Amino acid sequence: MDKAEALKVLQESRVAIDKIDEELIYLIEKRTSLAKDIASAKLALGIPIEDKKREDYIQDKIKKISKEIDGDFINKIMNILMELNKKEQEKILRRNTNG
C-alpha cells in the first residue's frame, strides 16, 4: 500500500468509526431509557433492582455472541452498561418514592 492509499484508508476508517461511535451512543441511550419500564415493573412486582441471575445470563450470552473481541473486555463493557442501567433504575425508583 502506498502513502496515498494509506491516507485514504485511514480517513475512510476514521469516518466509519465516527459513525459507529454515534450509533453506539444512540444504542446505549436507548438501552438506558428502558430502565424506566424495568424499574416500574420491578416496583410493581416487589423485586429488587439487583438481579444477579439476569446479569449472569447477560454475561454468558455476550460471551457466546462475541467472536472477535476479548471476553474480558466485553464483560467490562457489559458491566458498565448494567451498572448504568441499575443507577438509572435507582434514580427512577427514588423519584417515584419521593414523589
Side-chain angles (χ1 to χ4, degrees):
M1 172 182 314
D2 65 19
K3 285 187 177 184
E5 187 179 354
L7 284 171
K8 182 180 179 194
V9 168
L10 179 62
Q11 181 61 28
E12 289 172 353
S13 296
R14 286 179 173 168
V15 168
I17 285 174
D18 289 345
K19 183 167 177 33
I20 291 168
D21 288 346
E22 290 174 18
E23 292 172 14
L24 284 170
I25 297 302
Y26 169 78
L27 290 172
I28 291 168
E29 288 175 346
K30 187 174 179 179
R31 185 184 196 281
T32 303
S33 74
L34 293 171
K36 181 180 180 185
D37 296 336
I38 293 168
S40 296
K42 286 180 176 181
L43 183 63
L45 294 168
I47 59 176
I49 290 173
E50 191 85 23
D51 185 348
K52 183 72 172 130
K53 187 176 177 182
R54 172 70 180 162
E55 292 176 24
D56 290 344
Y57 165 77
I58 291 170
Q59 294 293 1
D60 289 341
K61 177 182 72 167
I62 293 305
K63 285 178 192 173
K64 291 175 186 171
I65 294 171
S66 177
K67 305 269 191 261
E68 295 184 30
I69 301 173
D70 182 280
D72 289 338
F73 288 113
I74 289 294
N75 283 340
K76 288 176 185 177
I77 291 167
M78 291 312 298
N79 284 334
I80 291 168
L81 292 174
M82 288 186 289
E83 190 63 31
L84 175 63
N85 198 275
K86 286 189 282 188
K87 294 288 185 203
E88 191 65 23
Q89 289 177 47
E90 289 168 357
K91 243 181 11 184
I92 292 163
L93 289 178
R94 275 195 307 275
R95 265 189 254 137
N96 287 345
T97 304
N98 296 332

